[in-house]
Amino acid sequence: MMDLDILIKKDPDESIIFQMRSHWITFLGEIAMLLVLTALPIGLYVMFKDVWPTLLTGSVSKPIMVLFASAFYLMLWLFFITKAIDYFLDVYLVTTVRVLDVSQQGMFSRTVAELDLARVQDVTSEIKGVLHSLMDFGNVYIQTAGERERFEFIDVPHPDRVRKQLLELVENDRKHQSQEIMGLTH
Amino acid sequence: MFSFPITLILIPYGVIVALFLFMSLYSIHNLVRYGATSHGSFLATFAFLAGAVFVFFFTWQALIGTDWSQQINIAIPFSSIQPSL
């Protein structure tokens, strides 16, 4: 679970209700690309082994080929890990007071957007497509009264359940706030 | 024809390795800072380091026995043709 204190100045009685990230299936594209690109130099090796064998065994050409392949795999691994960290650190957090959208863009860019539950006007869930329906993941849109009109949870698991939980939290927050106001006026 | 020692090709490789190390350390810093409390971040860091060690190990294995004192000879096209008067 992500540490809230790093991201926001939280209220004393605020706690995380749930934390989500996009469904793991959305990361399969990156894994497939890693596998294809990993196989590419191996394919070239097999091809050159028959067509131009001296290239792979020559006393000068061999170290050049090895270093080239090594550099390729290092960059590929770095690219994949950057994508994995992007996925891992893109988190939607729902606390007793607010909703947070933490978004990692590459290595050097990070955005944290927050929305008070009191500002939530409407929550919509959407499951579109065969894969989304089969795996039960989709989008949740939170309509707000704030500057940012819409908060979006993209490709999260169980969007219907998330919508219900969010609406319950908004309701509880409203009750809590009206009780506080009543307490102040009496 | 001109020639240069084979060790020169280690320079661009060294630059790539330096870039890789810098980016790796920054990625691990991001993971530790923002995802420190989860097992996922520990696993991701471990997998990343294991992958890097794997690549470096196989590179080293493949380069054992290389004679780094060799020269790379590159022929300049048409350099042997004498200009005629």
Side-chain angles (χ1 to χ4, degrees), chain A residues 2 21-24 26-31 33-34 75-91 103-107 110, chain B residues 27-28 30-31 34-35 38 40-49:
Chain A
M2 197 165 269
R21 52 176 60 87
S22 297
H23 198 280
W24 59 266
T26 59
F27 192 65
L28 282 185
E30 265 82 17
I31 294 174
M33 197 168 80
L34 174 79
M75 287 297 114
L76 178 65
W77 191 230
L78 187 66
F79 175 76
F80 176 71
I81 285 296
T82 308
K83 287 279 179 194
I85 290 172
D86 262 16
Y87 170 77
F88 185 71
L89 294 180
D90 273 4
V91 180
S103 176
Q104 181 77 28
Q105 290 126 0
M107 273 187 194
R110 190 174 172 79
Chain B
S27 296
I28 291 170
N30 271 347
L31 264 178
Y34 299 114
S38 71
S41 91
F42 175 76
L43 267 177
T45 310
F46 179 77
F48 179 46
L49 293 176

Side-chain angles (χ1 to χ4, degrees), chain A residues 55-72:
Chain A
L55 186 73
L56 304 168
T57 53
S59 58
V60 172
S61 58
K62 186 190 162 192
I64 293 173
M65 289 295 142
V66 169
L67 289 176
F68 188 78
S70 175
F72 174 82

